[in-house]
């Protein structure tokens, strides 16, 4: 039982439902097939209607788009693909007028290789101040022809690229944990630190409510950049090897990857905390830190560091009652111990959408993308059923929840994208071995009619939308009893009315091993991860992810009830 109240404080982000907008794929106002800021502004009333508290915008900054905008060439401007700074002002004003907060993305581990800072570093040559802002090294081997160490890029292939000096001869190498177009900064540089303080202030001055911090566990590298071979089973974005999940491993156990979760990152976040604290209102820093176990991740949200961290342990938990109960307990305890709320998340732009993932079997569970030739493609109906049940459980939990655009429509992963349409660098860097993340990034359907399902004012969409998505379009679900959209709306309304996000988890026994049942204030939640029906306890049914048969909850379904003796 986790009956004690583990979080405290009244800041809005402790209980917020934050909706992730992936600007490329949300709504396109200028008809070019690529989403934009004006498109987002126009659709905000529909998010208000959904009942969310805040939006997080994935990058819309100036960028050559080699990693869909996570390759930033100017941190303080809007890429013409998405609009202008004025369009951002309109978006933010519209959101704030609707009572929706705005969180923007910040990408501090690396810039685009097109960034003026990196171009200046290339031009200035070895030993220069400009080069010291990035991670340049001489190569190994007789003529520097071997990379400085054996690190591999998260997207596949070497994490180093060799430069060419102005006279055409091969030069130094630069580090890129991601694509070669994303050179890593050297955060030992005070200059880099000052630039990023200025970037934070630029957006804070414009009124943003916070930042989602990209690769918040990667900015500091171990001295000497020692060789490291990750375990085959380790997550590519970080975290500890599987052995670190074994009993006996504690928050003090050092992680081994010399580029993830180094102690030095915390100093940066203490500094950033101060930058935000100088502004009125409760501005928030949310860490994307793929760190295991949760007791380690909680270090990112100690009281003087960030405010939230994405709970990827929860995202990676299969649809299994015992495992869900254990990750929920572990999350509330780990985050509660440092006075932070737990967050909950099931989908984002980097992982297989949960309406498909929860029905996957086999080797493809960890979000490397799935495609037409993936063995054991998920059963769509089962995936949707589990996704609805999983979302209903998540939205009942105390803390803050993140939603990814389109999950409220029950969108599955697009598994049959033609190869020529793919854009994820993972696909190219692994020569098609890993499908990458395009399947969760397909533009979302607003209306059943029309070539782009209302995504664009024109006919195009930058990734092709599956034709069967017509039936999942928002206009087909809005106001339709039992639709996934109405399920989300109801969950968000009840969550507010019953103050579930500031409540507690008190497990209830007696429902069998495949059921996670608990009480949160005056609401009882029963999540049935098995296939057999279970008898519901007394109390009015407030919400059910599937039709009930009398008082029985079918398999792969979640119900909320008014607790009998509240
Ligand atoms: C994490 C982002 O979520 C992902 O989309 C991106 O490719 C990497 N960081 C590199 O910025």
């Amino acid at each position: 039982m986790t009956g004690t109240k583990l979080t405290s404080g009244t800041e809005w982000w402790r209980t917020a439902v934050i909706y992730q907008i992936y600007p490329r794929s949300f709504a396109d106002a200028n008809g070019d097939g690529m989403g934009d800021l004006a498109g987002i502004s126009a659709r905000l009333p529909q998010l208000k209607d959904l009942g969310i508290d805040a939006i997080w915008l994935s990058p819309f900054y100036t960028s050559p788009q080699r990693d869909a905008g996570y390759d930033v060439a100017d941190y303080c401007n809007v890429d013409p693909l998405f609009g202008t700074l004025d369009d951002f002002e309109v978006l933010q004003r519209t959101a704030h007028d609707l009572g929706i907060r705005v969180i923007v993305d910040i990408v501090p581990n690396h810039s685009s290789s097109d960034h003026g800072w990196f171009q200046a570093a290339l031009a200035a040559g070895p030993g220069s101040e400009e080069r010291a802002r990035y991670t340049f090294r001489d190569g190994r081997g007789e003529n520097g022809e071997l990379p400085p160490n054996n690190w591999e890029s998260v997207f596949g292939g070497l994490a180093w690229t060799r430069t060419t000096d102005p006279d055409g001869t091969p030069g130094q190498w630069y580090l890129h944990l991601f694509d070669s177009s994303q050179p890593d900064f050297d955060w030992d540089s005070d200059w880099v630190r000052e630039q990023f303080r200025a970037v934070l202030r630029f957006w804070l001055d414009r009124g943003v409510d916070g930042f989602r911090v990209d690769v918040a566990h990667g900015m500091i590298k171990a001295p000497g950049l020692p060789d490291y071979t990750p375990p085959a089973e380790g997550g590519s974005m970080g975290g500890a090897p599987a052995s670190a999940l074994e009993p006996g491993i504690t928050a003090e156990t050092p992680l081994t990857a010399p580029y993830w979760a180094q102690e030095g990152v915390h100093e940066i976040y203490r500094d950033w905390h101060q930058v935000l604290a100088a502004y009125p209102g409760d501005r928030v820093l949310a860490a994307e830190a793929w760190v295991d176990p949760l007791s380690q991740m909680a270090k990112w949200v100690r009281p003087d560091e960030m405010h939230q961290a994405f709970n990827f342990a929860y995202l990676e938990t299969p649809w299994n009652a015992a495992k869900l109960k254990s990750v929920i307990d572990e999350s509330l305890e780990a985050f509660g111990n440092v006075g932070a709320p737990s967050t909950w998340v099931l989908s984002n732009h980097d992982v297989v959408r949960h309406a498909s993932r929860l029905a996957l079997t086999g080797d493809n569970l960890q979000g490397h993308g799935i495609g037409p030739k993936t063995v054991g493609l998920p059963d769509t109906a089962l995936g949707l059923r589990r996704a609805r049940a999983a979302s209903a459980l998540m939205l009942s939990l105390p803390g803050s929840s993140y939603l990814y655009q389109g999950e409220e429509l029950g969108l599955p992963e697009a598994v049959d994208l033609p190869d020529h349409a793919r854009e994820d660098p993972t696909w190219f860097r692994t020569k098609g071995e890993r499908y990458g993340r395009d399947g969760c990034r397909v533009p979302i359907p607003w209306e059943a009619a029309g070539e782009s399902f209302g995504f664009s004012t024109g006919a195009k969409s930058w990734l092709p939308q599956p034709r069967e998505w017509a039936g999942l379009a928002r206009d087909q679900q809005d106001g339709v009893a039992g639709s996934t959209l109405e399920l989300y709306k109801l969950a968000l309304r009840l969550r507010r009315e019953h103050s579930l996000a500031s409540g507690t988890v008190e497990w209830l026994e007696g429902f069998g091993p495949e059921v996670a049942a608990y009480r949160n204030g005056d609401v009882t939640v029963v999540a049935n991860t098995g296939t057999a029906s279970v008898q519901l306890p007394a109390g009015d049914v407030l919400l059910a992810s599937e039709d009930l048969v009398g008082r029985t909850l079918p398999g792969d379904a979640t119900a909320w009830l008014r607790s009998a003796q509240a």
Side-chain angles (χ1 to χ4, degrees):
M1 156 174 158
T2 313
T4 39
K5 195 157 187 155
L6 290 168
T7 59
S8 55
T10 54
E11 300 93 334
W12 65 271
W13 41 263
R14 288 183 179 272
T15 53
V17 173
I18 301 172
Y19 182 98
Q20 180 188 359
I21 292 183
Y22 194 65
R24 296 169 67 95
S25 303
F26 187 71
D28 168 25
N30 71 358
D32 65 355
M34 179 64 67
D36 47 39
L37 298 184
I40 298 171
S41 298
R43 293 290 190 185
L44 283 173
Q46 280 153 301
L47 293 188
K48 177 70 186 170
D49 186 44
L50 174 60
I52 51 123
D53 302 298
I55 52 174
W56 147 36
L57 297 163
S58 277
F60 50 80
Y61 314 113
T62 313
S63 161
Q65 301 288 313
R66 295 205 185 88
D67 184 23
Y70 282 93
D71 48 326
V72 180
D74 182 350
Y75 289 90
C76 299
N77 213 338
V78 174
D79 196 282
L81 207 52
F82 301 119
T84 61
L85 275 171
D86 285 344
D87 291 328
F88 177 77
E89 296 286 349
V90 171
L91 187 167
Q92 184 170 257
R93 202 173 333 113
T94 311
H96 283 167
D97 287 350
L98 290 166
I100 296 173
R101 315 242 181 188
V102 178
I103 294 175
V104 297
D105 221 303
I106 186 160
V107 188
N109 178 68
H110 47 264
S111 70
S112 161
S113 50
D114 285 13
H115 199 295
W117 299 338
F118 188 72
Q119 288 302 317
L122 287 178
S128 61
E129 250 175 58
E130 289 84 349
R131 284 224 170 168
R133 300 165 183 167
Y134 288 89
T135 312
F136 283 91
R137 291 290 183 277
D138 293 332
R140 292 187 291 193
E142 211 173 309
N143 299 307
E145 71 280 12
L146 299 173
N149 69 22
N150 74 343
W151 295 359
E152 283 181 15
S153 152
V154 170
F155 294 157
L158 280 184
W160 294 93
T161 292
R162 195 166 192 188
T163 60
T164 305
D165 284 337
D167 64 2
T169 57
Q172 287 192 302
W173 298 69
Y174 66 89
L175 176 69
H176 50 87
L177 290 183
F178 296 90
D179 187 50
S180 55
S181 64
Q182 295 166 296
D184 281 43
F185 287 109
D186 185 340
W187 274 84
D188 287 342
S189 155
D190 288 337
W191 186 90
V192 168
R193 290 182 190 231
E194 195 42 48
Q195 297 311 307
F196 273 92
R197 281 182 211 114
V199 172
L200 292 173
R201 291 190 187 112
F202 178 88
W203 293 103
L204 290 165
D205 288 341
R206 268 156 192 78
V208 301
D209 298 287
F211 301 89
R212 174 268 189 191
V213 183
D214 190 62
V215 200
H217 57 318
M219 288 131 83
I220 298 286
K221 281 77 184 180
L225 311 182
D227 276 354
Y228 176 73
T229 306
E233 71 277 19
S236 64
M237 282 288 279
S243 59
L245 304 175
E246 306 287 306
I249 302 292
T250 70
E252 270 48 70
T253 307
L255 294 176
T256 42
Y259 38 81
W260 297 139
Q262 299 297 304
E263 218 22 63
V265 294
H266 298 293
E267 190 187 321
I268 300 170
Y269 301 129
R270 284 190 201 105
D271 183 31
W272 287 19
H273 185 104
Q274 295 305 324
V275 173
L276 267 69
Y279 284 79
D282 300 320
R283 317 278 176 127
V284 64
L285 286 169
E288 187 222 18
W290 294 81
V291 178
D292 279 336
L294 278 161
S295 55
Q296 283 279 355
M297 195 200 271
K299 288 183 170 178
W300 271 251
V301 289
R302 287 176 290 195
D304 58 347
E305 297 197 29
M306 302 227 199
H307 307 91
Q308 289 191 341
F310 290 98
N311 189 342
F312 295 122
Y314 186 72
L315 183 150
E316 287 175 340
T317 302
W319 180 236
N320 171 291
K323 291 187 173 152
L324 285 164
K325 285 168 79 168
S326 131
V327 74
I328 290 168
D329 278 345
E330 200 194 331
S331 305
L332 293 173
E333 189 182 338
F335 290 118
N337 280 341
V338 290
S342 184
T343 62
W344 313 101
V345 61
L346 289 166
S347 280
N348 65 33
H349 64 295
D350 289 329
V351 301
V352 174
R353 282 185 175 276
H354 70 281
S356 296
R357 191 180 69 241
L358 295 177
L360 269 176
T361 52
D363 294 337
N364 290 292
L365 296 169
Q366 290 309 322
H368 282 165
I370 55 177
K373 291 184 221 114
T374 302
V375 182
L377 281 175
D379 169 339
T380 316
L382 178 65
L384 178 59
R385 188 180 174 100
R386 287 188 175 163
R388 290 165 56 101
S391 299
L393 171 62
M394 174 176 86
L395 291 171
S396 73
L397 291 169
S400 172
S401 278
Y402 278 82
L403 304 180
Y404 176 50
Q405 65 180 37
E407 69 170 80
E408 76 280 19
L409 305 176
L411 292 189
E413 188 81 355
V415 295
D416 50 4
L417 293 174
D419 292 353
H420 67 80
R422 293 184 188 279
E423 292 204 6
D424 187 343
T426 309
W427 166 259
F428 298 101
R429 292 183 64 87
T430 64
K431 302 193 171 46
E433 201 180 296
R434 274 159 50 187
Y435 286 102
R437 303 158 294 175
D438 291 316
C440 65
R441 298 175 173 181
V442 172
I444 63 174
W446 293 90
E447 291 141 22
E451 273 298 297
S452 64
F453 298 137
F455 157 67
S456 172
T457 50
K460 290 188 288 186
S461 91
W462 69 278
L463 281 172
Q465 300 160 297
R467 288 294 95 191
E468 58 277 16
W469 281 16
L472 293 171
R474 195 180 200 280
D475 71 346
Q476 300 300 294
Q477 302 198 38
D478 204 7
V480 177
S483 71
T484 304
L485 179 63
E486 291 302 324
L487 176 70
Y488 270 71
K489 284 193 205 170
L490 179 62
L492 294 184
R493 181 165 64 72
L494 292 171
R495 171 188 164 93
R496 228 183 344 263
E497 285 172 9
H498 294 264
S499 306
L500 299 181
S502 50
T504 55
V505 170
E506 193 183 330
W507 294 114
L508 302 172
E509 302 305 330
F511 293 88
E514 295 187 306
V515 175
Y518 81 99
R519 180 181 284 208
N520 182 350
D522 65 355
V523 174
T524 294
V525 176
V526 184
N528 182 4
T529 66
T531 48
S533 300
V534 296
Q535 194 64 29
L536 287 172
D540 295 341
V541 175
L542 298 169
L543 168 153
S545 69
E546 296 295 327
D547 288 340
L548 304 179
V549 185
R551 300 255 344 149
T552 57
L553 178 69
D556 294 316
T558 296
W560 298 8
L561 302 100
R562 193 183 298 280
S563 304
Q565 314 125 3

